[in-house]
Amino acid sequence: MGTDAHAFLSDLARGLAPRADQLGDVVLQHLLSELPEVWKYEDIAAVAPVALSEHIATVLDFLERGPLI
């Protein structure tokens, strides 16, 4: 069962990887609409897209490779 789940998540991550930027844009737009008060801070608004992109890449990499144990 665990192998099947890992294979599924790995395939899912590989399929999403080419669309990571699009996924980031959707999440960022959602955050903008749900938390408008946060975006008045220029420092947060400046780093949020880059940080979000890095987090998405990390999650997709983790899903593709699995935990390092």
Side-chain angles (χ1 to χ4, degrees):
M1 179 71 181
T3 302
D4 292 340
H6 180 263
F8 171 77
L9 292 174
S10 184
D11 288 345
L12 179 66
R14 273 195 243 66
L16 288 173
R19 299 175 58 186
D21 289 339
Q22 183 182 8
L23 178 60
D25 291 342
V26 169
V27 172
L28 191 58
Q29 290 303 313
H30 181 73
L31 290 173
L32 286 166
S33 67
E34 292 294 318
L35 302 168
E37 64 278 0
V38 172
W39 304 101
K40 67 182 177 183
Y41 301 101
E42 292 179 19
D43 54 340
I44 293 174
V47 299
V50 174
L52 180 61
S53 177
E54 290 173 356
H55 287 302
I56 289 171
T58 299
V59 168
L60 291 176
D61 186 56
F62 176 80
L63 290 175
E64 184 176 350
R65 298 176 192 275
L68 299 174
I69 43 177

